[in-house]
Amino acid sequence: MEHKITVPLRQHPEKLQARLAEIPVDPGVYLMRDRHDGILYVGKSKCLRQRVRSYFRPKAEHSPRIAAMVELVEDIEFIATDTEAEALALEDNLIKKHQPYYNVLLKDDKQYPYVCITWSETYPRIFMTRRRRQGEARDRYYGPYVDAGALRRTLAILKRVFPLRQRPRPLYKDRPCLNYHIGLCPGVCQGLISAEDYRQTVRRIAAIFQGRTQEPIAEMEREMAIASENLAFEKAALLRDRIATLQRLGADRKVSLPDDTVARDAIALAADEERACIQLFQIRAGKLVGRLAFTAPGGSEPGALLQRVLEAHYQTCEPRKSPTKSIPNTPSPKPKSWRPGSNKNGAAKLGSPPPSANKKRN
């Protein structure tokens, strides 16, 4: 049997130029393939032709990893998309599916839990889950959270502070169950609370998971003052106890910041020849509400590695939870491609750590 001899595109200039001419100037995803049709690398760009061409320029400066990949490329496949955002989502899915050897593959060790609030339902449910379902756009996921045990304890505390529906279906047809009588449920199954009043309670819980604990506390303090003026001392005492519980809940998560009205993500990266580690600290309203950890093989260019982390993380962020400022300790080569521009405060600003932090790191 006669075997077809192929050569890398780098060694076949005419074939390379012909292939580059076929690639459009649209946004999209490109796949570098080897002689066995295996996928070496997956990338995305807002201008496919310009980006792919940059790999094969004679004086192009690549990292050792990318330089080795370019020498093996024998074919280039592309998928054009309508927007850069679509290209980002497609690139992430293809990398997770094929795990190309020359891509930076992030590992977060496990599937971190989220808190889901089913706003699509008349009486929303609140529960912990490790899977983000894309079925209903109105549902919201908060997290992810590293410490599942702490998240369970937080949910248990909030369900004691705020009466919530406890069962998916009524236990009795004509009367509420014991949870209603001990103050753990507002009697959803018997229609003893309106949908709007119930959703107001859920909105307070959502604010807490966004790090805005002071907002429901301020509302409850006003309600407590009104109850005292109306001589409803039992209700005022109940609100006082709930406020104290919420204040204790966030007391150990305070972070000293000059402006606690700004949502921040602080990102630290450390790497050597064998491995790289990235820590992302989520700070909302002056409180540390989450910490995520990613690992990747060593030898990658730090800026490109940070770029990959930011793209993968912010792609799954809800607009309301996206930070208005991100503070990495390593410059990102293309900050505009990952910033969460859908957030109501506009695109996130890329900040820098204070000089004292740089001195400590060095």
Side-chain angles (χ1 to χ4, degrees):
M1 180 182 293
E2 182 180 353
H3 295 279
K4 183 179 179 181
I5 299 176
T6 61
V7 295
L9 289 177
R10 171 77 87 176
Q11 302 175 22
H12 202 311
E14 293 181 0
K15 182 179 178 181
L16 172 60
Q17 293 305 319
R19 187 57 175 149
L20 291 176
E22 296 172 348
I23 299 176
V25 294
D26 301 323
V29 172
Y30 55 91
L31 298 85
M32 304 292 196
R33 293 184 177 272
D34 61 14
R35 61 184 300 181
H36 304 294
D37 204 35
I39 297 177
L40 297 168
Y41 186 83
V42 175
K44 58 95 181 59
S45 177
K46 61 182 178 182
C47 180
L48 281 170
R49 183 184 299 170
Q50 181 178 345
R51 181 70 182 106
V52 174
R53 188 185 298 275
S54 69
Y55 286 97
F56 299 95
R57 291 194 180 113
K59 297 183 179 180
E61 295 183 1
H62 299 306
S63 67
R65 176 175 57 89
I66 296 300
M69 181 273 295
V70 171
E71 296 299 328
L72 299 175
V73 175
E74 297 204 8
D75 192 16
I76 304 168
E77 181 181 345
F78 62 86
I79 304 172
T81 61
D82 292 330
T83 65
E84 190 177 1
E86 290 180 7
L88 175 61
L90 179 59
E91 178 203 34
D92 187 61
N93 290 335
L94 289 174
I95 289 175
K96 289 178 179 177
K97 179 180 179 180
H98 298 288
Q99 297 194 350
Y101 181 80
Y102 288 96
N103 275 99
V104 175
L105 302 177
L106 300 176
K107 297 182 176 65
D108 57 6
D109 296 331
K110 57 183 176 181
Q111 188 70 33
Y112 292 121
Y114 293 81
V115 170
C116 178
I117 300 182
T118 57
W119 290 107
S120 58
E121 301 176 3
T122 305
Y123 291 90
R125 293 174 295 131
I126 302 176
F127 56 90
M128 190 175 83
T129 179
R130 293 184 184 271
R131 296 182 61 187
R132 289 172 57 99
R133 296 176 176 83
Q134 305 297 327
E136 180 53 63
R138 287 175 293 174
D139 293 345
R140 289 290 178 264
Y141 291 84
Y142 303 89
Y145 298 91
V146 175
D147 192 335
L151 178 58
R152 290 190 184 92
R153 291 191 293 272
T154 299
L155 280 172
I157 292 172
L158 292 176
K159 288 180 179 180
R160 290 200 303 270
V161 172
F162 299 102
L164 296 170
R165 96 191 235 196
Q166 302 290 322
R167 300 176 185 276
R169 289 180 295 275
L171 187 61
Y172 306 107
K173 293 183 179 181
D174 56 350
R175 58 188 174 91
C177 66
L178 180 62
N179 286 322
Y180 171 78
H181 295 290
I182 62 177
L184 294 180
C185 176
V188 171
C189 62
Q190 302 301 321
L192 300 178
I193 183 174
S194 69
E196 181 53 39
D197 288 343
Y198 185 84
R199 293 172 80 88
Q200 177 60 31
T201 299
V202 177
R203 277 192 284 270
R204 290 179 174 179
I205 296 175
I208 293 171
F209 281 111
Q210 293 166 358
R212 300 181 291 116
T213 308
Q214 283 305 121
E215 293 181 19
I217 288 179
E219 292 177 2
M220 295 168 71
E221 286 176 340
R222 288 192 292 269
E223 293 177 8
M224 182 176 65
I226 293 172
S228 297
E229 291 176 1
N230 296 333
L231 305 182
F233 299 118
E234 184 175 345
K235 180 179 179 181
L238 178 62
L239 288 168
R240 178 202 62 201
D241 294 342
R242 290 176 176 175
I243 291 170
T245 302
L246 289 182
Q247 289 173 335
R248 289 195 299 271
L249 183 64
D252 59 345
R253 296 194 297 178
K254 187 71 176 176
V255 177
S256 178
L257 293 172
D259 181 6
D260 63 6
T261 64
V262 177
R264 292 176 170 87
D265 280 353
I267 305 141
L269 182 150
D272 57 23
E273 293 300 321
E274 296 183 359
R275 66 184 65 84
C277 179
I278 305 96
Q279 297 278 333
L280 188 149
F281 297 88
Q282 300 168 305
I283 303 167
R284 305 292 183 267
K287 292 183 173 61
L288 182 63
V289 300
R291 177 184 64 83
L292 304 180
F294 303 89
T295 59
S300 303
E301 199 276 317
L305 181 58
L306 179 63
Q307 176 84 13
R308 177 84 180 95
V309 171
L310 296 177
E311 290 174 344
H313 174 65
Y314 290 122
Q315 182 189 354
T316 60
C317 270
E318 301 293 345
R320 183 64 184 268
K321 298 187 298 166
S322 297
T324 54
K325 189 171 186 179
S326 292
I327 310 172
N329 72 339
T330 300
S332 174
K334 295 178 289 185
K336 291 185 179 180
S337 65
W338 56 261
R339 62 187 186 181
S342 57
N343 128 12
K344 69 171 188 176
N345 297 317
K349 295 181 179 179
L350 186 65
S352 301
S356 59
N358 288 323
K359 292 179 180 177
K360 290 179 181 178
R361 188 173 71 250
N362 295 331

